Amino acid sequence: MMRPTVCGLLVVALLGFGGATVGSGERLTGRDLDIGIREIARVYRLDPALVKAVISVESDFNPWAVSRKGARGLMQLMPLTASELGVERIHDPWENIEGGARYLRERLDRLGGDLAMALAAYNAGEAAVLRHGGILPYPETRRFVAEV
């Protein structure tokens, strides 16, 4: 069972519920999402605009999005990555955003704060970026980094 995090508890306190309930294909927008993103970004020392940009590019704000490769939710977490981050309900917007923000912060810290490299690692995997020694030549990864 995922233990409540400080960030998760603050979002619950701010928004008054433990998770958004949205129908399949429904996109999240509005004040509640902005407040939640702002609080999660603050906890992980990220710019809220960066978190929103990742969500926009990855899922177009659709918490039920599933990629061809199996990434899921707003921040398109792979199931194994989500599990390693303690995300139990991968399509829950708040768990997914918190897991994605934590994962992005870890990439930034491990890659010396280089945002482009961290975004490439978020998209294609840190090991691949380190092996290549930079942003991978994959069109999907280059597009992701440029759009975010």
Side-chain angles (χ1 to χ4, degrees), residues 70-147:
R72 299 172 180 277
L74 289 171
M75 293 192 73
Q76 290 291 280
L77 300 175
M78 293 299 287
L80 179 60
T81 302
S83 178
E84 290 170 352
L85 293 165
V87 174
E88 288 185 348
R89 297 173 301 163
I90 199 166
H91 291 283
D92 177 86
W94 310 122
E95 283 193 45
N96 192 282
I97 295 170
E98 186 170 3
R102 182 170 50 239
Y103 187 69
L104 183 54
R105 167 47 57 197
E106 290 171 359
R107 306 289 70 76
L108 279 164
D109 290 346
R110 291 171 59 99
L111 295 166
D114 185 323
L115 181 58
M117 289 280 284
L119 289 170
Y122 186 96
N123 178 263
E126 185 175 337
V129 170
L130 291 174
R131 266 194 316 272
H132 183 71
I135 298 173
L136 299 156
Y138 308 153
E140 176 188 338
T141 301
R142 290 194 178 269
R143 179 194 56 76
F144 175 76
V145 172
E147 288 183 15

Side-chain angles (χ1 to χ4, degrees), residues 21-88:
T21 304
V22 292
S24 181
E26 185 177 338
R27 279 156 180 74
L28 292 175
T29 57
R31 185 176 177 276
D32 289 343
L33 183 61
D34 287 339
I35 291 169
I37 288 171
R38 203 168 39 247
E39 183 56 31
I40 291 168
R42 183 190 65 75
V43 168
Y44 291 103
R45 301 178 337 272
L46 297 169
D47 184 331
L50 173 61
V51 175
K52 267 184 122 167
V54 170
I55 293 169
S56 178
V57 172
E58 288 283 42
S59 68
D60 192 27
F61 294 92
N62 179 358
W64 295 100
V66 178
S67 76
R68 293 183 324 273
K69 295 181 180 177
R72 299 172 180 277
L74 289 171
M75 293 192 73
Q76 290 291 280
L77 300 175
M78 293 299 287
L80 179 60
T81 302
S83 178
E84 290 170 352
L85 293 165
V87 174
E88 288 185 348

